[in-house]
Amino acid sequence: MRKPTDTCLLCKANSATKKNSHIYPKFLSTNFLGPKGAPRRGYDLSSDKIAENKPRVIQDSPKEDYILCEECEAYFGVLEGIASQVFGSWEQKATDGEFSRNKIIEGLQMLEVNNVHNQTIHLFIYSIFWRVSISLDPFFKNVNIADEFEEELRQLLMLYRHANKTDYLNAVSANPSFKIFPWTAMTADSFKDETANLLFAPFSYDPYCILVDRFSFMLFRSPDDIKQDFFKGFSNLQMRDCRMMILSQELWHDAILKKPYELLVKQAVESKKK
Ligand SMILES: [Zn+2]
């Protein structure tokens, strides 16, 4: 267990006094619990070995104490505030024509996100994977980014670490380019049941994969690690890239949710046998 006197894992300078740091950003990761006001519940699918355990009902996206200092937490809040303008309202912006949406094949579209602060979107994605990697919560134990890569992400995040938005934006303006680690984002244009989405962190590396409610993200260490050319076209490989794959409801269900659901069913069956 970490203590408030431990050092912040991001800045490695201040005391990690912050309690309840969300590992997955809250604005991305709580829709699956259902509407506010109604009883909110989701399922924890934290492990490939979940068959051994009873399904754990969770009321909130996992939080952790004493991993960050107040300033580093505020910095992540700045990134989230800007990123929420993309991930929180892409549908409206696509409808308004601000973001462009192009059909690739049946069931698959590509969203080009325009007029956003691209640096922030890249840093925001890295901040999620970094948090998942450093987290000691059992929910995230399957995703551990290789040490040197995790440290590269930390140092990159530290370049722009400011607790308020103005200072942060000034820091990016002063030094607007940085090394891009490729990433891919997926979501669906509609969902069979909003509350049937999940938080999931399967065992993964090369690329690292996470499922955050209505979004699925992959992180690659370098463009050479993206084996399929098909995927390269959908990935964000350069600073100017900001795109997302939009799957049909059916494809999202079959390609993204099926495996976690199968695990959930297996887990429920196994726990009944006990
Ligand atoms: Zn800190």
Side-chain angles (χ1 to χ4, degrees):
M1 284 290 281
R2 289 183 53 84
K3 305 181 295 297
T5 49
D6 287 344
T7 306
C8 169
L9 292 169
L10 185 69
C11 65
K12 296 195 167 177
N14 301 336
S15 296
T17 50
K18 186 75 188 68
K19 292 184 82 171
N20 292 323
S21 290
H22 275 270
I23 304 299
Y24 282 162
K26 188 176 180 187
F27 83 91
L28 276 189
S29 62
T30 51
N31 276 306
F32 78 107
L33 296 165
K36 286 198 176 83
R40 287 157 74 85
R41 54 190 271 160
Y43 293 98
D44 174 353
L45 292 174
S46 56
S47 163
D48 286 344
K49 294 191 180 111
I50 51 177
E52 295 165 15
N53 310 311
K54 280 178 74 172
R56 187 164 73 105
V57 173
I58 50 174
Q59 249 87 37
D60 198 359
S61 173
K63 291 179 284 197
E64 201 163 332
D65 294 341
Y66 313 133
I67 55 175
L68 296 173
C69 68
E70 301 284 340
E71 285 165 39
C72 289
E73 175 82 11
Y75 167 45
F76 284 161
V78 170
L79 299 181
E80 286 171 23
I82 299 170
S84 69
Q85 294 162 18
V86 173
F87 297 100
S89 57
W90 71 264
E91 285 157 299
Q92 188 57 49
K93 288 182 173 167
T95 305
D96 296 346
E98 193 178 338
F99 296 171
S100 54
R101 216 202 254 246
N102 299 299
K103 182 176 163 181
I104 307 298
I105 50 170
E106 200 57 47
L108 183 60
Q109 302 174 79
M110 179 142 81
L111 183 78
E112 291 286 355
V113 173
N114 308 309
N115 303 320
V116 288
H117 197 255
N118 283 25
Q119 286 93 343
T120 303
I121 305 306
H122 296 298
L123 293 171
F124 169 70
I125 299 295
Y126 304 151
S127 80
I128 304 176
F129 278 96
W130 179 82
R131 275 178 274 185
V132 165
S133 186
I134 58 97
S135 174
L136 296 177
D137 190 303
F139 191 89
F140 299 107
K141 71 172 187 219
N142 290 319
V143 183
N144 285 310
I145 293 175
D147 289 350
E148 330 84 70
F149 186 18
E150 185 189 288
E151 177 60 14
E152 270 190 281
L153 294 175
R154 189 191 71 83
Q155 288 182 9
L156 173 54
L157 289 165
M158 278 303 290
L159 283 180
Y160 303 98
R161 174 189 170 276
H162 287 280
N164 78 70
K165 190 174 168 181
T166 308
D167 292 345
Y168 161 73
L169 291 174
N170 287 337
V172 177
S173 296
N175 186 12
S177 56
F178 50 79
K179 182 179 174 183
I180 296 297
F181 302 104
W183 56 273
T184 306
M186 281 180 266
T187 187
D189 53 9
S190 63
F191 300 94
K192 284 185 180 165
D193 174 0
E194 288 282 350
T195 63
N197 280 315
L198 297 164
L199 306 184
F200 191 41
F203 178 76
S204 60
Y205 63 95
D206 188 26
Y208 301 98
C209 304
I210 52 177
L211 178 57
V212 190
D213 197 358
R214 291 188 282 170
F215 297 90
S216 173
F217 299 104
M218 283 185 268
L219 176 68
F220 301 84
R221 190 156 184 175
S222 81
D224 300 337
D225 290 344
I226 309 179
K227 303 288 190 288
Q228 294 156 299
D229 282 340
F230 177 74
F231 249 103
K232 256 184 196 154
F234 290 101
S235 299
N236 297 285
L237 305 169
Q238 303 176 60
M239 184 61 81
R240 65 166 185 267
D241 294 342
C242 193
R243 53 175 67 116
M244 193 155 49
M245 296 165 78
I246 312 293
L247 280 58
S248 65
Q249 184 177 291
E250 289 72 26
L251 190 58
W252 175 262
H253 189 269
D254 293 347
I256 307 293
L257 291 183
K258 213 171 164 195
K259 187 185 170 213
Y261 272 137
E262 282 168 4
L263 286 170
L264 183 66
V265 169
K266 193 172 161 198
Q267 185 183 46
V269 169
E270 293 291 327
S271 71
K272 266 196 161 173
K273 282 187 199 160
K274 287 180 185 167

